[in-house]
Amino acid sequence: MSFDFYCAIIKVVCVVLLQHIILLSIFMSRVVRNSKFRHVFGQASKKADCYEGIRVTKHASDSTFCCVNPKFLAIITESAGGGSFLVLPLENVGRVDRNVPLVSGHKAAVLDIAWCPHNDNIIASGSDDCTVKIWQIPDGGITTTLTESTVDLIAHQRRVVQVVWHPSALNVLLSSGSDMKIFIWNVSKSAILSTVDCHTEAILSVAWNYNGSRIVTSCKDKMFRVINPRTGEIIQSGAGHQGGKPARAIYLRDGRIFSTGFSKMAERQYAVWDENNLSAPLTMVELDSSNGILFPFYDEDTGMIFLCGKGDSAIRYFEYTPETPYIHYLSTYLSSDPQRGIGNMPKRGLNIATCEIARFYKLLNSGACEVISFTVPRKSELFQDDLYPDTAGDEHAITADEWINGVDADPKLISIRDLHSGPKTPLNVNNNNQLIPPKQEVAFDKQNLSPKSSLEKSPIDNTNNGQPKVQSKTTSVQSKKPSALAEKEDTLTNTQYDIIVTQLEGIMRRMDEFDRRLQALEKRSVTNETRESIIEDDNL
């Protein structure tokens, strides 16, 4: 074969490879989504910033055993002869004292706990003793074991497996029990607002929608139900995951439903459903063949979903979009220790300075609670508006009486920027395209603010021949401001104030120099110098 033949073959191969490269690039451009959460990564805090020595409960219930808010961390603990849980202020990191005070008022094991979204000092607990109790935790935590609850809610005939607060109505609490009933409570009156009694088997999970007008339940009969919580009427129902192990369902912000469960082959799945048609899922994806229940944690502000499996050592996270395929895989956080339980910090408690978008408190079998922070890498230290849209605050939108009378309202939103102090976004640019921070007026608190500098009337010192004694340059700051500064106090900025103080310090230095000259003149008079020589030196 000739040389030209080989050259022709090489040209054909190069053309085919080039075509494949172009097709691959086009395919990748369509597959890879443009998302600001693509590079989210999780990182465990240092051991000194975690919690140790916790006697985590050994109960086999399908609960997360942990809940957290911007003030406190609550963990269900092991106890003999009753039920208890631990409440710690977030700043009390390190090893927990073995004799630490507990919240211990239930007669049987505590199965679920939930912090009130409208009061960070109120927590609800459901127990194996068929009761729901409301506890009020003082600021700074409890100093002695708390046995007296604020409110007792008694109606269930079997154990209470889940308690969930209403997202926008004040003092409205949902409780579900093994008696296949759901009660909606007005906690302030210890009264039942409504009862849901439409399930034929044990209720596995219950969740409110965004404004609290509907609830979705998963049941042991493998059915999902959308229910009107005021009347107990079933709006929609349909077959869910067909595996024999428990399934869980939650509402997404736009009204769709996200669920986790198992297939007939015991493979773990997640799915998205239309709340108005539960006959078939919009999408259903198989994950793996592990046997741990998947707990979904949904961020209503960003659309991110975190899947934490009981007994897993991994946390998977996804992003939800309203368009098909709905759920987009982002990444997985891996660790060496399996999780016994897990709690999720609300947006109000995150650190925006590090672009933290989620924080989990992971319970380990060793009795430790590991803090895992998920952040978006950003170079700028300014507030990231795209990462932190307005979030649900701690102020209620409606009352319990308004809700039961048919009023629905979304949670009241607050700006995360206003919750935290940090670098402000510059507003001006100079001629060199350099950002200039805006000048801010300073409002001085006259009662608490210590003035930076002032002059004090100098006392007459007889040892200086009746001359006023001048303070040295190391004179401490006095309590009275100069009258000219006091008159303009409300309009001065920090920079202007510092300039005035600098000028006053210069005047004091010149007065010190004048004092030294006076002392030199007095010294000459003591050494028998003539009055004429003193006058000549003084004239100089």
Side-chain angles (χ1 to χ4, degrees):
M1 295 183 181
S2 64
F3 177 76
D4 294 337
F5 177 77
Y6 287 109
C7 291
I9 292 178
I10 293 175
K11 288 181 180 180
V12 172
V13 172
C14 292
V15 170
V16 172
L17 289 175
L18 182 60
Q19 290 176 347
H20 279 75
I21 292 173
I22 294 174
L23 291 174
L24 182 61
S25 63
I26 295 174
F27 174 76
M28 291 299 293
S29 65
R30 293 179 179 178
V31 171
V32 178
R33 295 175 55 252
N34 184 18
S35 171
K36 53 181 171 288
F37 303 113
R38 278 177 53 195
H39 303 292
V40 171
F41 69 97
Q43 185 173 9
S45 299
K46 297 179 180 178
K47 190 176 181 180
D49 297 327
C50 298
Y51 308 83
E52 292 183 285
I54 302 170
R55 292 175 292 176
V56 182
T57 180
K58 298 179 181 178
H59 201 279
S61 61
D62 298 328
S63 172
T64 58
F65 299 141
C66 176
C67 65
V68 62
N69 68 13
K71 283 187 178 180
F72 301 104
L73 168 67
I75 301 172
I76 300 176
T77 58
E78 187 72 14
S79 61
S84 62
F85 59 94
L86 171 70
V87 175
L88 290 175
L90 288 183
E91 61 272 12
N92 290 3
V93 296
R95 179 164 290 278
V96 177
D97 189 355
R98 187 171 182 82
N99 297 320
V100 64
L102 301 173
V103 179
S104 179
H106 287 284
K107 297 179 180 179
V110 177
L111 303 182
D112 194 27
I113 50 179
W115 288 105
C116 176
H118 307 124
N119 189 335
D120 289 338
N121 296 81
I122 299 296
I123 187 171
S125 61
S127 172
D128 209 352
D129 63 5
C130 308
T131 65
V132 177
K133 293 181 181 289
I134 310 299
W135 311 84
Q136 186 167 6
I137 309 299
D139 288 334
I142 57 176
T143 55
T144 59
T145 297
L146 186 60
T147 57
E148 295 296 328
S149 59
T150 304
V151 178
D152 289 338
L153 306 176
I154 302 174
H156 288 282
Q157 297 179 359
R158 299 186 66 182
R159 63 178 185 173
V160 181
V161 295
Q162 191 174 5
V163 289
V164 189
W165 292 91
H166 192 283
S168 57
L170 181 65
N171 293 330
V172 176
L173 178 70
L174 178 152
S175 65
S176 67
S178 295
D179 54 1
M180 298 176 289
K181 292 183 180 180
I182 297 174
F183 293 106
I184 313 294
W185 302 87
N186 183 345
V187 172
S188 61
K189 299 179 181 179
S190 301
I192 298 175
L193 297 176
S194 65
T195 303
V196 179
D197 188 7
C198 60
H199 296 83
T200 58
E201 295 193 43
I203 302 170
L204 301 177
S205 72
V206 187
W208 297 93
N209 68 346
Y210 184 65
N211 63 1
S213 61
R214 294 184 177 184
I215 60 174
V216 60
T217 66
S218 61
C219 184
K220 195 174 181 180
D221 60 6
K222 304 177 185 178
M223 298 287 289
F224 289 153
R225 295 174 176 87
V226 175
I227 302 171
N228 184 336
R230 297 183 179 93
T231 63
E233 176 190 358
I234 298 177
I235 301 173
Q236 286 287 333
S237 64
H241 302 274
Q242 295 304 300
K245 294 184 179 180
R248 302 185 73 88
I250 60 172
Y251 258 105
L252 302 176
R253 184 165 181 171
D254 62 359
R256 291 195 174 108
I257 295 170
F258 180 87
S259 66
T260 60
F262 294 81
S263 67
K264 291 183 178 180
M265 303 301 293
E267 295 176 326
R268 293 197 294 192
Q269 301 172 323
Y270 67 79
V272 177
W273 309 76
D274 183 354
E275 68 169 348
N276 298 316
N277 183 10
L278 296 178
S279 59
L282 298 176
T283 183
M284 182 177 287
V285 178
E286 295 182 353
L287 285 175
D288 53 31
S289 57
S290 180
N291 58 2
I293 300 173
L294 286 172
F295 293 99
F297 294 90
Y298 173 57
D299 186 346
E300 297 171 338
D301 305 323
T302 62
M304 291 188 65
I305 299 174
F306 295 82
L307 298 185
C308 307
K310 203 160 193 177
D312 288 2
S313 57
I315 299 177
R316 298 179 177 90
Y317 41 104
F318 306 79
E319 184 179 3
Y320 166 75
T321 57
E323 303 82 17
T324 184
Y326 307 108
I327 304 298
H328 306 273
Y329 172 76
L330 294 175
S331 186
T332 301
Y333 169 80
L334 295 173
S335 63
S336 58
D337 298 313
Q339 51 218 14
R340 172 74 178 153
I342 199 160
N344 181 31
M345 171 67 75
K347 273 293 184 65
R348 295 183 290 115
L350 300 181
N351 183 5
I352 65 173
T354 60
C355 295
E356 184 181 42
I357 61 169
R359 188 192 307 161
F360 288 91
Y361 290 74
K362 173 181 173 181
L363 302 181
L364 308 181
N365 292 321
S366 62
C369 179
E370 188 178 50
V371 183
I372 304 171
S373 176
F374 289 85
T375 58
V376 177
R378 294 283 175 93
K379 293 183 179 180
S380 174
E381 296 181 355
L382 303 177
F383 179 77
Q384 306 295 318
D385 299 87
D386 59 331
L387 298 181
Y388 299 104
D390 291 350
T391 190
D394 57 357
E395 184 178 355
H396 64 278
I398 55 176
T399 64
D401 293 335
E402 290 173 337
W403 177 81
I404 194 61
N405 290 327
V407 179
D408 292 321
D410 292 344
K412 282 193 174 181
L413 302 182
I414 57 174
S415 172
I416 298 182
R417 180 200 292 266
D418 297 337
L419 291 177
H420 302 268
S421 60
K424 305 297 182 182
T425 304
L427 301 179
N428 301 323
V429 179
N430 62 11
N431 296 330
N432 296 327
N433 292 327
Q434 295 177 343
L435 295 176
I436 302 174
K439 295 182 179 179
Q440 298 179 0
E441 296 293 333
V442 179
F444 292 105
D445 185 352
K446 296 182 180 180
Q447 297 179 352
N448 299 326
L449 182 65
S450 298
K452 294 186 177 181
S453 177
S454 68
L455 291 177
E456 186 181 60
K457 291 184 179 180
S458 301
I460 302 297
D461 189 350
N462 295 330
T463 60
N464 286 343
N465 298 328
Q467 297 293 334
K469 183 177 180 180
V470 183
Q471 298 283 349
S472 66
K473 62 182 178 181
T474 59
T475 304
S476 61
V477 176
Q478 304 299 324
S479 61
K480 293 184 179 180
K481 297 185 180 77
S483 59
L485 180 60
E487 294 175 358
K488 299 182 180 180
E489 178 179 320
D490 294 335
T491 59
L492 292 179
T493 64
N494 283 335
T495 304
Q496 293 171 335
Y497 199 101
D498 292 337
I499 292 174
I500 294 175
V501 171
T502 303
Q503 293 175 349
L504 293 176
E505 290 176 350
I507 294 174
M508 293 171 65
R509 285 194 295 270
R510 290 195 291 272
M511 293 179 70
D512 288 341
E513 183 66 25
F514 179 70
D515 183 56
R516 286 194 295 271
R517 290 187 180 183
L518 288 178
Q519 292 177 0
L521 291 174
E522 291 173 357
K523 185 177 180 180
R524 292 183 183 182
S525 63
V526 174
T527 55
N528 296 325
E529 289 185 317
T530 63
R531 189 170 186 272
E532 291 75 13
S533 62
I534 294 174
I535 293 175
E536 289 178 358
D537 291 340
D538 189 48
N539 292 333
L540 293 176

